[in-house]
Amino acid sequence: MIGLLRICVLLVLFSVVHSTCQPQRCQPTDPDVLGPYYINLKGQKALNDTNMTLCGPALSQFRHLPLMKVKGHIYDEDCNTTLSNTLIEVWQADNAGVYHWQTCRGYMKSDRHGYYEFWTIHPGWYAIAPGSLYRPAHVHFKVTANGHDILVTQMYFGGDVYLGLNDSCQVCSSDKCDLITTVVTVNTATNQQHNEVNFDVILKRDIVTRVAQVFDQDNEEMEGFPVDRQKRAAMDYANYRSYFKRDHN
């Protein structure tokens, strides 16, 4: 009886999360916690055209599990300009909710259209502490692009009962609609099926880029002003750029 009541409460809280989701406005992707299982690039594998699988059948324990494609574009904060050559680091737990140091983690770069994709298995739930609620299934992302703030976030899956208030991590962002994807089934030309999710990322411009844009606008408005005033503005810009690079990187 208690177990049934707990399930009912979870489903009610889950429906509350999804009923409040509205069509997304143009705004930078919400951040999320890094978590304890991140390791630097030296410990990750490169995902490329010859091996795009993050976590999958190359290991015997995952051989029976279906693969899922994760894809998307990386955008500037204007939500229109795509960002090429962006470093995308990803890592996740396996289907049993276990993290591995040697697999289920990797990195890639977006192509000239800002597009990325990789294949993986659906991650499993895990509890942060014995007896606690579970963390919803998620994939970690760390996204780094020139001229933009580094984004650390997590991608979630719609329909997961542990999203939002049911998440055992109370400081995580599993209630953010822009981090929750929809899993769809895709039919291939060979009459095979696979699951697929789309996760677009919008990056916020860093402070140096913002300062440069302000001065670029000022320079356009200063055309026709005396040369000495234009030179003074250029010097101010150089000083500001040096300051922000030194103290804000």
Side-chain angles (χ1 to χ4, degrees):
M1 183 68 180
I2 295 177
L4 180 61
L5 179 61
R6 183 180 183 185
I7 292 174
C8 291
V9 171
L10 288 175
L11 290 174
V12 169
L13 292 176
F14 164 75
S15 65
V16 169
V17 170
H18 281 263
S19 65
T20 58
C21 280
Q22 302 296 326
Q24 291 299 303
R25 298 171 296 167
C26 177
Q27 60 186 24
T29 298
D30 280 298
D32 209 337
V33 300
L34 180 68
Y37 299 107
Y38 171 76
I39 60 176
N40 60 31
L41 283 176
K42 291 183 178 179
Q44 302 179 36
K45 67 178 178 181
L47 302 175
N48 49 45
D49 291 339
T50 58
N51 182 14
M52 293 298 297
T53 302
L54 176 70
C55 192
L59 297 177
S60 58
Q61 65 263 43
F62 305 139
R63 196 161 294 158
H64 65 291
L65 299 172
L67 283 175
M68 169 180 62
K69 180 192 282 188
V70 179
K71 64 183 181 65
H73 287 84
I74 312 297
Y75 290 98
D76 174 71
E77 65 179 36
D78 65 8
C79 302
N80 183 55
T81 305
T82 55
L83 301 176
S84 62
N85 204 39
T86 297
L87 175 63
I88 305 162
E89 300 172 70
V90 286
W91 65 103
Q92 66 168 80
D94 66 18
N95 60 304
V98 177
Y99 283 91
H100 301 264
W101 297 114
Q102 303 298 326
T103 188
C104 298
R105 58 182 68 246
Y107 66 93
M108 74 213 80
K109 291 201 174 177
S110 61
D111 69 13
R112 60 192 182 92
H113 302 294
Y115 177 79
Y116 76 91
E117 70 173 52
F118 62 92
W119 292 82
T120 190
I121 59 174
H122 197 290
W125 297 331
Y126 60 88
I128 292 179
S132 72
L133 292 173
Y134 289 97
R135 286 237 57 217
H138 58 279
V139 178
H140 292 267
F141 278 71
K142 182 180 179 182
V143 186
T144 307
N146 186 42
H148 294 77
D149 288 342
I150 295 174
L151 174 69
V152 173
T153 194
Q154 299 179 32
M155 182 194 80
Y156 300 95
F157 301 90
D160 195 318
V161 296
Y162 289 105
L163 292 171
L165 295 176
N166 300 331
D167 191 342
S168 60
C169 174
Q170 296 301 302
V171 297
C172 293
S173 300
S174 64
D175 60 333
K176 302 297 184 181
C177 295
D178 63 330
L179 303 184
I180 301 173
T181 62
T182 300
V183 181
V184 298
T185 301
V186 176
N187 293 310
T188 67
T190 57
N191 293 322
Q192 294 183 331
Q193 293 183 334
H194 66 263
N195 286 338
E196 189 170 294
V197 298
N198 189 84
F199 185 57
D200 291 334
V201 174
I202 302 171
L203 296 182
K204 183 178 180 181
R205 295 169 194 156
D206 64 21
I207 190 66
V208 176
T209 302
R210 292 180 183 279
V211 169
Q213 290 171 334
V214 170
F215 276 94
D216 286 343
Q217 182 177 354
D218 287 345
N219 286 338
E220 290 178 3
E221 295 174 354
M222 286 183 63
E223 289 184 4
F225 278 80
V227 174
D228 62 333
R229 185 170 177 182
Q230 294 188 38
K231 287 183 178 179
R232 189 161 60 250
M235 185 176 297
D236 287 341
Y237 166 62
N239 289 337
Y240 273 106
R241 186 176 177 85
S242 175
Y243 166 75
F244 281 113
K245 275 193 171 181
R246 182 181 68 249
D247 294 340
H248 295 270
N249 278 348

